[in-house]
Amino acid sequence: MKQIKIANTDMEVSQISLGCMRIAGLTNNEVERLVKTALDEGINYFDHADIYGKGKSEEIFSEAIGMNSSLREKMFIQSKCGINQKDGNYDFSKEYILESVDGILKRLKTDYLDALLLHRPDALVEPEEVAEAFNILKNSGKVRNFGVSNHNSLQIELLQKYLDQKIVFNQLQLSVTNSGMIRTGLNVNMENEAGINRDGSVLDYCRLNDITIQTWSPFQYGFFEGVFLNNDKFPELNKTIDEIAARYGVSNTTIAMAWILRHPAKMQGIAGTTNVERLKEICKASDIVLTRKEWYDIFKAAGNTLP
């Protein structure tokens, strides 16, 4: 597994992270096997959120692997907060962030997080409060690095103005069928749907500011509408991916992740599967570098046109 250096940190992490959103419904033995497979495949980064399984995902993760200091040292663990589970609203208040982190640490049976991400933008955010919370968490040793999730460029700028810590991650949805952040950059100055800038050029912003993009739902289309692989809705895309997969002797799953990792932004792909064999297929993507033609062939087969 290739490693990527996270700018402004001392972290060198696996190019692929294991997303733990869906593990709440697994048994302890199943979670233990999944995490062990991830470690064996070279994954050292594990992505959580306090809302995953209403906290159960974090809890079963630590229980299943028998969290201890020796094992903890082999892992980079991040979690996210900011979505209030009681009402579904967003809350970046100092009090809520601090309370959330204490709950996360307790469930994960660890003294610290390698990274804490703010899950979705809070319309009522007071950046000064976020800064106070982050300083307390950093100075207490509870959180080592900070980031955001689903934030656009100016939302990050607003937070960064007040923070003493650098924002080092932005977790964003990206797949070949949900590639708006790439498509917009290819349709600059075009009066078409693809040219509408909805995210403040967040891809270029993150590259300019050394923020690592973590990509969620790399195999999904729409907003959790299903996977595009082996889906009759995407015949041309699957035909192209299958041809390239055959060329490399890997699965279509491998190629779909390799498409993301080929981008020079050096993104970290999040694999949210709970299937051990599929996880192994995803990890093979780290060993494949698609050609420019292959990358663009897949992009266009998804229905994206070049101006």
Side-chain angles (χ1 to χ4, degrees), residues 63-77:
E63 288 178 358
I65 64 176
M67 181 66 80
N68 57 64
S69 58
S70 176
L71 185 59
R72 181 66 180 90
E73 290 174 2
K74 299 176 183 177
M75 298 177 165
F76 293 95
I77 299 177

Side-chain angles (χ1 to χ4, degrees), residues 124-192:
L124 302 180
V125 62
E126 298 282 357
E128 299 92 339
E129 280 200 44
V130 175
E132 288 181 28
F134 281 13
N135 282 339
I136 291 170
L137 293 171
K138 179 72 173 182
N139 293 336
S140 66
K142 291 181 179 180
V143 179
R144 295 183 174 180
N145 301 284
F146 299 87
V148 294
S149 180
N150 306 300
H151 280 57
N152 68 27
S153 304
L154 289 182
Q155 288 167 335
I156 297 173
E157 279 284 306
L158 177 62
L159 288 171
Q160 194 64 79
K161 176 182 177 181
Y162 294 89
L163 297 178
D164 293 329
Q165 304 80 19
K166 288 285 291 183
I167 291 174
V168 299
F169 291 115
N170 189 10
Q171 194 170 113
L172 298 163
Q173 184 177 15
L174 178 65
S175 70
V176 68
T177 55
N178 287 58
S179 56
M181 72 172 83
I182 294 173
R183 189 168 58 248
T184 300
L186 289 169
N187 284 270
V188 174
N189 203 39
M190 301 300 294
E191 295 185 6
N192 56 22

Side-chain angles (χ1 to χ4, degrees), residues 20 77 85 90 152 177 196 233 243 261 264:
C20 298
I77 299 177
Q85 295 185 54
Y90 304 148
N152 68 27
T177 55
I196 298 173
K233 292 183 178 180
E243 289 173 352
L261 301 184

